[in-house]
Amino acid sequence: MIISNGLPRRIPIIIGSAGGSGARTHVNWTLDIIDEILQERGLKAKITVIWADFTQEEIRKAHEEGRIQGLSSNIPPLTAETIKSTNSIVAQMGHEPIVEALKQGGEIIVCGRAYDPSPFAAVGIYHGKDPGLAYHLGKILECGALCAEPGTTKDSILGTIGDDFFTVRSLNPDRICSATSVAAHTFYEKEHPYILHGPGFTLDLEQCRFEETEKGVVRVTGSRYLRAEKYYIKLEGARRVAYRTFVIAGIRDPILLDKLEEVEDYVRNQAREYYREIPESDYSIHFYNYGKNGVLGSKEPERFKGHEVGVLFEVVAKTQELASSICATVRSTFLHYGYEGRKSTAGNLAFPFAPSDVEFGPVYEFSVYHLMEMKHNGFRIEHR
């Protein structure tokens, strides 16, 4: 629908973080889909691709030059080994390469990994609008109708930007934007109430005003774009670190629930004893007790009042075989453990599935989640 209606009306179509992650393989997959749609509908388009991939050599050089730092204090410093073991590294692009693609006449612009508001902000900035308003509007539009009531990401919102304001309204009459709902969404995914950092800038929303000018139409003013002294982009990359097997079970015995953590400690230690020839650094065993501190863990302020708990057993190990073997031991030991007060010899757990053990497969972690200082625009633009 977007391609079929946008191209004849000469409306540029911008796709950000193509394929969901924006790496080369996801961009190519998106391009294949676009080519298929164009062929089916007999359409032609000038397609512009903005690649967000950076090579290991580029990242290694930036690291050696001291241009890379952790996104926050709890992010480990980047190392040469980490760079080498991370096969695909992308960076979040700002509006600049997208604006350049618009200037070059791109009809369908396919972006690799993009800072989520950037494709929306680029349109306003391309037309000379205030970048603070453009980015704030982009921040709202990138989540669809989540700023409306009832909110959802599966519906559309119309944003209109002027010289010193923008407005938003729902295109679905079943959803209504209000000053409260739009202001509330401004807090979405932010570590600070009114400060939002982006590629090469800070968005300051302290002076924002939200006004409902008519039913369902909200006017926003006061968004400020502050250019940073140094231009940083966020790098993202993941590497495979382990394999996972898990079991889901239910517990209703009040005697077991009363000493659940004690039994879990016993089962964990028993499994370690069974596999004492395996270094403990090669695997980890976790229990998540949903219904009893499963979400907040030790920070849960409420006392347990329930009569049953769902337990998720998780084993993460160097290989799938090791994860599954240890998980089977944990499950069997827990199932038959004779805790004090038990009145039977088995049946500690109720399993919703058979077989009970589920091999999840590879486990990945963010190995690169850092900021890289850029001296110039490092995103490559290609015309197809």
Side-chain angles (χ1 to χ4, degrees):
M1 290 292 291
I2 294 175
I3 291 176
S4 299
N5 288 281
L7 285 177
R9 293 169 174 79
R10 303 178 64 83
I11 300 172
I13 298 163
I14 305 173
I15 301 171
S17 296
S21 298
R24 178 171 292 273
T25 183
H26 308 115
V27 171
N28 285 329
W29 176 64
T30 304
L31 290 171
D32 288 342
I33 295 173
I34 292 173
D35 289 340
E36 183 178 340
I37 293 172
L38 292 175
Q39 185 175 358
E40 287 178 352
R41 288 162 174 72
L43 298 171
K44 293 185 178 180
K46 181 179 179 181
I47 299 176
T48 301
V49 182
I50 308 175
W51 301 102
D53 305 82
F54 283 76
T55 66
Q56 291 177 331
E57 178 59 26
E58 288 174 311
I59 301 302
R60 184 191 62 78
K61 182 179 179 182
H63 179 246
E64 291 176 350
E65 294 173 351
R67 293 192 285 116
I68 295 181
Q69 64 184 47
L71 184 65
S72 62
S73 58
N74 63 339
I75 300 295
L78 196 60
T79 66
E81 188 279 328
T82 301
I83 296 171
K84 184 178 180 180
S85 62
T86 306
N87 293 328
S88 180
I89 302 175
V90 297
Q92 286 190 3
M93 68 182 72
H95 65 277
E96 295 89 347
I98 306 174
V99 170
E100 182 59 31
L102 288 168
K103 290 179 180 178
Q104 295 177 13
E107 295 175 312
I108 299 179
I109 301 171
V110 181
C111 306
R113 182 69 172 106
Y115 178 59
D116 290 345
S118 292
F120 303 92
V123 176
I125 294 172
Y126 171 72
H127 287 284
K129 300 304 180 182
D130 179 83
L133 294 170
Y135 263 106
H136 189 180
L137 178 57
K139 175 64 178 170
I140 293 172
L141 294 181
E142 57 109 346
C143 291
L146 203 57
C147 68
E149 297 174 336
T152 178
T153 59
K154 305 300 188 291
D155 214 336
S156 298
I157 287 290
L158 174 64
T160 305
I161 189 168
D163 291 333
D164 59 358
F165 71 95
F166 67 81
T167 62
V168 291
R169 71 172 70 194
S170 171
L171 295 177
N172 184 341
D174 292 336
R175 308 185 192 283
I176 297 293
C177 289
S178 68
T180 299
S181 69
V182 175
H185 186 65
T186 296
F187 293 111
Y188 176 70
E189 288 185 336
K190 296 215 310 296
E191 63 181 3
H192 190 282
Y194 54 81
I195 297 295
L196 179 64
H197 298 290
F201 72 90
T202 296
L203 192 61
D204 184 351
L205 306 179
E206 183 179 12
Q207 303 301 322
C208 277
R209 296 293 179 268
F210 302 85
E211 176 188 5
E212 192 170 345
T213 56
E214 58 181 280
K215 182 67 173 179
V217 180
V218 177
R219 175 186 172 106
V220 182
T221 58
S223 314
R224 298 175 62 222
Y225 177 92
L226 307 176
R227 190 180 301 276
E229 292 183 7
K230 294 183 178 181
Y231 195 102
Y232 284 96
I233 54 176
K234 187 172 81 166
L235 301 174
E236 297 174 341
R239 62 180 175 180
R240 188 179 65 200
V241 294
Y243 293 83
R244 173 184 286 122
T245 299
F246 68 89
V247 175
I248 297 175
I251 298 175
R252 199 183 186 281
D253 181 356
I255 301 173
L256 176 53
L257 291 178
D258 190 49
K259 55 186 66 180
L260 183 55
E261 289 79 7
E262 174 187 327
V263 172
E264 289 170 347
D265 285 341
Y266 171 86
V267 171
R268 185 184 291 109
N269 292 331
Q270 190 68 41
R272 288 171 178 163
E273 177 62 22
Y274 288 146
Y275 292 90
R276 55 183 175 274
E277 75 281 4
I278 304 295
E280 291 187 19
S281 58
D282 284 2
Y283 67 92
S284 59
I285 301 170
H286 307 279
F287 298 98
Y288 305 95
N289 303 319
Y290 289 101
K292 184 179 183 181
N293 309 339
V295 177
L296 292 182
S298 62
K299 297 181 180 179
E300 177 58 63
E302 296 290 332
R303 290 187 58 194
F304 174 62
K305 307 181 185 69
H307 63 275
E308 65 181 13
V309 166
V311 180
L312 173 65
F313 305 74
E314 177 198 43
V315 177
V316 177
K318 274 193 171 183
T319 68
Q320 189 69 69
E321 181 181 16
L322 182 59
S324 296
S325 296
I326 296 177
C327 191
T329 298
V330 169
R331 180 251 307 148
S332 178
T333 303
F334 203 121
L335 177 64
H336 298 288
Y337 174 58
Y339 51 89
E340 185 179 353
R342 191 179 69 165
K343 295 178 174 57
S344 65
T345 57
N348 301 342
L349 304 172
F351 301 107
F353 308 120
S356 59
D357 302 9
V358 182
E359 291 189 349
F360 183 91
V363 176
Y364 294 85
E365 70 173 5
F366 267 120
S367 50
V368 178
Y369 205 68
H370 296 73
L371 297 176
M372 180 170 69
E373 182 184 353
M374 297 293 291
K375 304 296 184 183
H376 57 82
N377 178 21
F379 297 92
R380 291 170 280 275
I381 299 177
E382 175 187 318
H383 302 289
R384 298 175 76 246

